[in-house]
Amino acid sequence: LDGTARSDTKDTVRIDMIQRFCDFFLDFSHLIPMVLIIEDLQNSDGYSLDLINALNHSIRTSDSGPGITLILTRRRYGFATGSLRIIDEQIQSNELTEVVLQALTTDEIQRFLTSVFDEVTHRQFLANWLESTTGGNPYFVQELIRSCIRTHVIQREDDSWKLLKSRLSAIR
């Protein structure tokens, strides 16, 4: 095979794979409603973005209604690069809905800590550390708290939680 024939075959296989992927999820969504979460879209290659675009199109044009909710997350770096422009175009044409999450402030992180722990020692210190470590990203705040509990940096003692500040360096 010459280079053109190989390229055509490769494109045909890629298109077939994308279609099979979309058909699988649409067929499965008839059995049970689904939520697909694809995170950090800015790190996706062109083929992955083509697949996401095709899946979004399949969901929107499905005769059986939306049995799939597609949630995409990305970091905004102030510009759309390469294939991400297609996502921005879909947002502008209302094919996708964008929900921008703002970073949590230290006060909001403290309120979150209260909702999780009720009482925790060194709450202000922990809130400041979480804010500086995560940039206030709500997902990372929650994951760091889970990690602190899992590694016993935050421990339950009687009716309250205790932060072991000396162990925080192990979390980073």
Side-chain angles (χ1 to χ4, degrees):
L1 291 174
D2 65 10
T4 305
R6 270 185 250 152
S7 178
D8 289 344
T9 302
K10 191 175 181 180
D11 286 342
T12 302
V13 168
R14 184 175 63 81
I15 290 167
D16 183 58
M17 187 266 318
I18 287 173
Q19 187 59 53
R20 287 174 186 242
F21 181 88
C22 293
D23 291 345
F24 169 79
F25 278 100
L26 286 174
D27 290 346
F28 195 73
S29 72
H30 295 301
L31 301 174
I32 186 168
M34 294 188 309
V35 176
L36 297 177
I37 301 172
I38 303 169
E39 297 183 336
D40 292 329
L41 206 57
Q42 75 282 353
N43 297 328
S44 300
D45 62 17
Y47 292 125
S48 298
L49 290 170
D50 287 346
L51 187 136
I52 293 165
N53 184 43
L55 183 58
N56 182 45
H57 178 76
S58 295
I59 292 167
R60 287 184 301 103
T61 59
S62 172
D63 292 335
S64 61
I68 302 173
T69 300
L70 185 60
I71 298 175
L72 311 171
T73 70
R74 68 175 174 171
R75 309 262 181 271
R76 286 199 150 264
Y77 297 116
F79 58 92
T81 59
S83 299
L84 279 180
R85 286 192 182 101
I86 215 165
I87 300 299
D88 286 335
E89 290 167 5
Q90 289 179 350
I91 291 168
Q92 290 170 358
S93 65
N94 293 320
E95 294 172 28
L96 288 174
T97 302
E98 181 176 37
V99 177
V100 179
L101 300 179
Q102 300 298 321
L104 297 174
T105 66
T106 305
D107 288 340
E108 290 168 327
I109 293 172
Q110 280 196 55
R111 286 197 299 273
F112 181 69
L113 290 171
T114 298
S115 72
V116 172
F117 297 113
D118 194 30
E119 290 296 322
V120 63
T121 60
H122 310 291
R123 180 188 318 276
Q124 179 67 46
F125 176 86
L126 181 57
N128 289 335
W129 179 79
L130 286 166
E131 196 279 328
S132 69
T133 303
T134 66
N137 180 310
Y139 174 76
F140 293 138
V141 167
Q142 183 177 357
E143 287 304 307
L144 262 182
I145 290 171
R146 284 185 181 148
S147 181
C148 286
I149 293 169
R150 190 174 44 255
T151 59
H152 305 288
V153 171
I154 299 175
Q155 301 178 18
R156 183 98 172 134
E157 263 187 24
D158 300 322
D159 291 337
S160 66
W161 293 87
K162 181 178 179 182
L163 168 68
L164 302 176
K165 290 167 62 174
S166 63
R167 293 189 182 176
L168 274 178
S169 61
I171 297 295
R172 291 186 185 231

